[in-house]
Amino acid sequence: MKFVIITGLSGAGRTLALRVFEDHGYFCVDNLPPALIPTFAELCRESRKRINKIALVIDIRGGGFFDSLFESLKTMRDTGYPYKILFLEASDEVLIKRFKESRRRHPLAPEGRIVEGIISERKKMAKLKEEADCIIDTSYKTPAQLKEEIVRNFIEPKREEPLLINVVSFGFKQGIPLDADLVFDVRFIPNPFYVDELRPLSGEDPEVRDYVMKWPESKQFLEKLHDMVEFLIPYYIKEGKSQLVIAIGCTGGRHRSIAIANELSAQLKAAHHKVIVDHRDVNKDRSEASES
């Protein structure tokens, strides 16, 4: 059974840390009274291994209950429940800034100055910090960097799932997709809508695809777009992103955007990326889409 106790200073990132463990399949509890830790561990063990990864946030919000923490930890050791302690801290300046930005009161100084609460909390947590298996200073870490360090120190590495790339064609007349990470406008490409025999077709048809891609600007745009996406993918993965939505739009979403989206998707698939294509507006009423 993996048992992690997340603790540290208020405002140092305990909630974010708990979410990281939760995302990796841990059963998570926030602000459990310390006296209940051994009982809770026993209940988890009796669950016949259904609950075998646990993360608890324990901090001074428990008030008088916090004083029983060390007795509970001793009980855990004596009864054979191994555990690790993750202690999060940050500089006084950063903690004060975070409390001011969130407009929260410090739990140890509800009527006083934030700095007084921080000083008091550091004293109360000093002994627990000495027993910590891992201390992380979050003063200048981004959420992604904190996640990376937690995973490296506490969570067994697993095979990373490939970044899922959604390429979405759309029409600006219908609005930009709300979940788009990157949006590209291909209305600069000559318009198949004004070619009578192409108007009833869509970018899925070879005739439209050939028309859209015969222009030098189309070929150059696609080449630069593919290069940029390939450049960005490793950085998105490094930041912990699991899905990337690329939206390609023309006026109505029937011709140019579909052709370019298909071409980009084909190139990304050829480079062994996991790609899903969605032509959002291809079936819109043509009187509404009035083009592509």
Side-chain angles (χ1 to χ4, degrees):
M1 185 167 62
K2 297 179 181 179
F3 206 102
V4 179
I5 295 173
I6 304 168
T7 189
L9 303 179
S10 302
R14 296 184 308 245
T15 300
L16 177 58
L18 191 66
R19 289 177 187 154
V20 174
F21 283 99
E22 187 173 27
D23 290 344
H24 284 81
Y26 278 67
F27 186 89
C28 298
V29 181
D30 187 13
N31 203 20
L32 181 75
L36 298 180
I37 292 177
T39 302
F40 181 73
E42 181 62 28
L43 289 173
C44 292
R45 175 173 286 183
E46 291 176 355
S47 70
R48 296 182 180 179
K49 297 186 178 180
R50 288 196 299 269
I51 303 177
N52 57 10
K53 297 191 296 184
I54 302 101
L56 307 179
V57 170
I58 305 293
D59 53 59
I60 48 85
R61 287 176 296 168
F65 289 113
F66 183 76
D67 296 334
S68 63
L69 175 60
F70 293 100
E71 182 179 344
S72 294
L73 294 181
K74 182 179 183 302
T75 300
M76 291 279 285
R77 292 191 296 269
D78 292 344
T79 52
Y81 290 109
Y83 61 86
K84 290 187 176 181
I85 298 176
L86 167 61
F87 191 97
L88 301 175
E89 67 172 358
S91 68
D92 290 355
E93 293 79 8
V94 169
L95 292 175
I96 291 171
K97 181 181 179 182
R98 290 174 181 173
F99 271 100
K100 284 185 173 294
E101 288 176 347
S102 65
R103 298 184 179 180
R104 293 172 51 227
R105 296 179 179 179
H106 194 284
L108 292 185
E111 305 297 333
R113 297 173 59 198
I114 295 173
V115 67
E116 295 173 351
I118 294 173
I119 293 172
S120 178
E121 187 175 24
R122 285 193 187 280
K123 292 179 180 178
K124 285 180 175 292
M125 304 295 283
K127 184 178 178 182
L128 185 57
K129 181 179 178 181
E130 291 177 359
E131 296 195 12
D133 296 279
C134 178
I135 300 173
I136 300 178
D137 188 335
T138 67
S139 298
Y140 303 105
K141 289 188 183 299
T142 65
Q145 289 170 335
L146 175 57
K147 175 182 176 180
E148 182 180 353
E149 189 158 352
I150 290 173
V151 170
R152 184 170 62 249
N153 283 282
F154 289 91
I155 299 170
E156 290 182 357
K158 63 179 181 179
R159 185 180 64 85
E160 290 293 332
E161 291 295 323
L163 178 70
L164 175 61
I165 303 174
N166 289 87
V167 181
V168 182
S169 69
F170 73 96
F172 279 95
K173 295 182 71 173
Q174 312 299 331
I176 296 174
L178 295 178
D179 59 345
D181 298 297
L182 301 171
V183 178
F184 298 95
D185 184 351
V186 297
R187 288 177 291 187
F188 65 90
I189 297 173
N191 193 347
F193 177 79
Y194 296 110
V195 180
D196 291 342
E197 60 269 28
L198 299 180
R199 186 179 300 126
L201 306 178
S202 78
E204 298 269 41
D205 295 297
E207 300 91 332
V208 175
R209 182 264 173 204
D210 292 344
Y211 179 87
V212 170
M213 293 308 303
K214 76 177 183 178
W215 307 102
E217 55 266 43
S218 300
K219 297 176 182 178
Q220 188 175 13
F221 170 76
L222 186 62
E223 180 181 350
K224 291 181 180 295
L225 175 59
H226 182 224
D227 285 346
M228 185 179 72
V229 172
E230 289 285 5
F231 168 78
L232 291 172
I233 286 172
Y235 293 99
Y236 281 127
I237 293 174
K238 184 178 179 181
E239 284 297 308
K241 198 170 183 63
S242 60
Q243 182 178 23
L244 176 65
V245 180
I246 304 172
I248 300 174
C250 56
T251 304
R254 279 190 53 81
H255 296 107
R256 294 170 290 183
S257 60
I258 291 177
I260 295 296
N262 283 343
E263 291 298 310
L264 175 63
S265 300
Q267 292 184 3
L268 292 172
K269 288 179 180 178
H272 306 293
H273 296 295
K274 186 176 181 181
V275 183
I276 296 175
V277 187
D278 176 24
H279 301 308
R280 191 193 71 177
D281 297 331
V282 65
N283 293 319
K284 295 286 185 183
D285 181 24
R286 294 177 188 179
S287 64
E288 291 180 14
S290 89
E291 180 268 346
S292 104

